[in-house]
């Protein structure tokens, strides 16, 4: 059964592949995959979160609470 990751749902709703989003965020595809699979908490900088938000079309303030964002 596939993990219902909020990160994955947002990426897929934006019609982005893991590879496309990882290039925009300047992280490896395997890192993005671990974030989506819940292996590790996304450790993005504020700048990377802003890039992520722009890429998926969601404002930073409206990201799902369950992403458990750190302030960076």
């Amino acid at each position: 059964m596939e993990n219902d990751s909020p990160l994955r749902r947002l990426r897929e709703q934006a019609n982005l592949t893991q590879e496309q989003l990882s290039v925009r965020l300047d992280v490896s595809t395997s890192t993005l995959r671990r974030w989506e699979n819940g292996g590790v908490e996304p450790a993005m900088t504020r700048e990377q979160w802003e890039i992520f938000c722009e890429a998926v079309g969601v404002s930073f303030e409206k990201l799902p609470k369950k992403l458990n964002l750190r302030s960076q």
Side-chain angles (χ1 to χ4, degrees):
M1 186 168 138
E2 191 171 309
N3 183 8
D4 188 29
S5 162
L7 288 175
R8 177 180 288 134
R9 276 186 276 130
L10 289 168
R11 176 183 56 76
E12 289 176 347
Q13 288 170 0
N15 295 315
L16 293 170
T17 65
Q18 286 180 333
E19 292 78 14
Q20 290 169 321
L21 185 55
S22 65
V23 166
R24 289 187 187 193
L25 295 174
D26 195 26
V27 297
S28 70
T29 303
S30 62
T31 295
L32 181 60
R33 189 174 299 119
R34 280 194 306 276
W35 291 345
E36 288 187 357
N37 290 331
V40 279
E41 180 180 339
M44 289 190 259
T45 64
R46 175 66 187 225
E47 182 180 0
Q48 285 173 309
W49 278 115
E50 290 171 356
I51 293 166
F52 174 83
C53 290
E54 182 179 330
V56 300
V58 175
S59 71
F60 184 79
E61 292 75 23
K62 293 186 179 184
L63 283 176
K65 297 283 185 202
K66 61 181 160 179
L67 288 180
N68 194 18
L69 299 178
R70 299 177 190 179
S71 57
Q72 300 200 11

